[in-house]
Amino acid sequence: MSRESQTAQPAASDRSELPGKLPDHLRAELIAFRRDLHMHPELGNQEFRTTAAIKARLETAGLRPRVLKSGTGLVCDVGTWDGVRPMLALRADIDALPIPDAKTHVAYRSTFPDRAHACGHDVHTAVVLGAGLVLADLDRQGLLPQPVRLLFQPAEEVLPGGATEAVESGVLDGVGKIIAVHCDPRVDVGRVGLRAGPITSACDRLEVSLSGPGGHTARPHLTTDLVTAAARVAIDVPAVLARRMDARSGMVITWGRIETGHACNVIPMHAELSGTVRCLDLNAWHEAPDMIHAAIDEIATVHGAKFEINHVRGVPPVVNDPVVTELLREAMGVRCGTDSVEDTEQSLGGEDFSWYLEHVPGAMARLGVRTPGDTAKRDLHRGDFDVDESAIGVGVEFFTAAALLDGRRARPAR
């Protein structure tokens, strides 16, 4: 059950006098905003209501958001960029998943039978919105040392991710670094998980089509035995790559489907395989398509099979910049104490935040959303996923601290 927990906050002595705290009235508003999004989830590139709600709230605060060219998602600068010092961007993803909401005990469950915010994007959105509103108030007081860009990105769940179109539309113009959070149901609320270097993995889709003259199973020498060819591709391609790629890259091909033939005494003319390519290492991910193509070519050729490959690029690993990661570590320490940061492992999941990091340095933190002591398992991409909503306030103050600390460092000396 989601609830705004009574999680103990760090003692006053553990906190800096850095401004940017979240006022109680805004805390309550953001929880209500998150619940409204949760009730009205929208799939990738269909987030029109979500975009309109974010835009309206930012405009109410006197800001000037700009909807992306795709028609969903938006960017909004807090403060006036001087055209010289690069800005820090705060990124949130806004789309939901095409799965039913299995929660029956909360009033804010999805009102659509086949959609749910089962990955926490509603929380991410509320966090960046709240941070923007707090920073806008500081800007009016003359306390914002450097402009900050808010980025509400559509279609994170749509391969290869809405980040690619967002980058093409210019959302990184003037941005020097970018940060984000992702809900983590394994981490207690009031804490974040950080890791310098790769924190997620790459994931692609691989489809292979084999063809050749079929025939009678009594005369396989007159045919291209595609059943055997498909079996050898399925077995030998992963084995060959295991010897050609650095084992530390963690690259794995896993087949999910093999389809060929219809009769026991007929050698078919077509065979298909499809699966996923996962990779822990960014350089290996860049090398993977050529290596995979070469391996399939060798094995298919031995069996006389023609082949076509559809290697659908997904996302590269999110590789956290060490300097930006330390900025996040310091920001969380300022807000919640140094013991509120824990080291985290590299996930096998994918995240299109990685596309931004191909252009500017940045880092993603894992935001704790589990109520301390709660033993229920609420994993991501499950219909019963929910969060402890006090994580929203933690995320807002985490981001405002990061923005202020980064801005103070970038401010030129007088």
Side-chain angles (χ1 to χ4, degrees):
M1 177 184 296
S2 176
R3 50 213 175 270
E4 187 178 4
S5 75
Q6 303 299 316
T7 305
Q9 298 296 314
S13 60
D14 295 331
R15 289 172 171 253
S16 164
E17 292 306 314
L18 192 72
K21 303 291 181 62
L22 181 65
D24 289 341
H25 72 88
L26 184 52
R27 188 185 309 271
E29 179 188 346
L30 292 173
I31 290 174
F33 191 90
R34 178 259 168 175
R35 292 186 177 188
D36 179 70
L37 295 186
H38 203 85
M39 293 175 66
H40 302 91
E42 295 176 301
L43 301 181
N45 295 316
Q46 301 174 25
E47 311 96 331
F48 297 102
R49 182 185 185 278
T50 302
T51 298
I54 300 167
K55 182 174 182 287
R57 184 61 183 91
L58 292 171
E59 290 176 337
T60 299
L63 298 171
R64 302 176 64 182
R66 309 182 302 279
V67 176
L68 300 181
K69 290 190 297 185
S70 62
T72 62
L74 62 161
V75 294
C76 182
D77 292 347
V78 181
T80 303
W81 184 45
D82 61 12
V84 179
R85 292 175 297 158
M87 290 179 285
L88 174 70
L90 315 181
R91 177 267 199 172
D93 37 13
I94 65 175
D95 58 325
L97 286 162
I99 62 176
D101 190 339
K103 299 186 298 296
T104 59
H105 54 279
V106 295
Y108 53 83
R109 71 189 299 261
S110 173
T111 56
F112 296 91
D114 56 349
R115 303 181 218 161
H117 269 295
C119 200
H121 294 187
D122 52 343
V123 174
H124 307 164
T125 301
V127 165
V128 173
L129 174 63
L133 296 176
V134 172
L135 293 171
D137 186 58
L138 292 178
D139 185 47
R140 286 187 287 270
Q141 301 175 54
L143 299 176
L144 185 64
Q146 179 176 304
V148 174
R149 175 162 295 167
L150 314 178
L151 169 56
F152 299 90
Q153 178 215 302
E156 190 277 330
E157 300 288 356
V158 179
L159 199 71
T164 54
E165 289 190 16
V167 170
E168 291 171 1
S169 71
V171 299
L172 294 181
D173 293 348
V175 170
K177 57 178 71 75
I178 187 169
I179 59 176
V181 293
H182 199 296
C183 291
D184 192 332
R186 304 166 303 169
V187 178
D188 285 349
V189 70
R191 301 176 62 81
V192 299
L194 287 175
R195 173 188 174 90
I199 193 172
T200 69
S201 299
C203 182
D204 297 345
R205 186 170 75 244
L206 180 63
E207 299 169 345
V208 182
S209 176
L210 303 174
S211 62
H216 202 295
T217 56
R219 292 176 287 278
H221 59 289
L222 301 179
T223 73
T224 296
D225 187 352
L226 287 184
V227 175
T228 298
R232 296 319 310 180
V233 167
I235 295 171
D236 292 346
V237 168
V240 167
L241 291 170
R243 291 296 176 266
R244 294 184 180 175
M245 303 290 290
D246 189 329
R248 294 169 296 183
S249 70
M251 197 186 81
V252 177
I253 294 180
T254 304
W255 303 107
R257 183 180 72 92
I258 301 178
E259 184 174 344
T260 186
H262 300 283
C264 66
N265 62 344
V266 177
I267 293 176
M269 299 174 64
H270 300 283
E272 295 180 352
L273 303 89
S274 59
T276 60
V277 181
R278 295 185 182 271
C279 192
L280 300 176
D281 180 73
L282 180 60
N283 291 331
W285 181 74
H286 285 301
E287 297 172 0
D290 289 342
M291 300 285 281
I292 291 170
H293 189 284
I296 292 172
D297 187 357
E298 291 177 19
I299 294 164
T301 300
V302 166
H303 292 276
K306 297 180 180 179
F307 67 93
E308 293 183 1
I309 300 172
N310 183 24
H311 190 146
V312 182
R313 293 301 252 169
V315 292
V318 172
V319 182
N320 282 350
D321 178 79
V323 174
V324 183
T325 302
E326 284 307 306
L327 170 67
L328 295 183
R329 187 179 300 275
E330 182 180 353
M332 193 62 182
V334 164
R335 293 303 193 201
C336 298
T338 56
D339 62 350
S340 64
V341 179
E342 60 183 63
D343 294 332
T344 190
E345 62 187 10
Q346 183 177 5
S347 165
L348 285 173
E351 231 289 351
D352 78 347
F353 182 70
S354 54
W355 290 120
Y356 300 111
L357 306 187
E358 299 265 296
H359 302 273
V360 296
M364 171 174 281
R366 295 201 170 117
L367 179 68
V369 297
R370 179 180 64 191
T371 301
D374 186 1
T375 59
K377 294 182 179 179
R378 309 183 206 280
D379 201 6
L380 301 171
H381 287 221
R382 281 181 30 166
D384 61 351
F385 174 75
D386 208 350
V387 304
D388 183 322
E389 291 173 310
S390 60
I392 295 173
V394 174
V396 169
E397 295 192 355
F398 175 46
F399 270 176
T400 58
L404 293 171
L405 291 172
D406 182 64
R408 290 180 178 182
R409 294 171 181 173
R411 185 167 49 191
R414 296 183 178 179

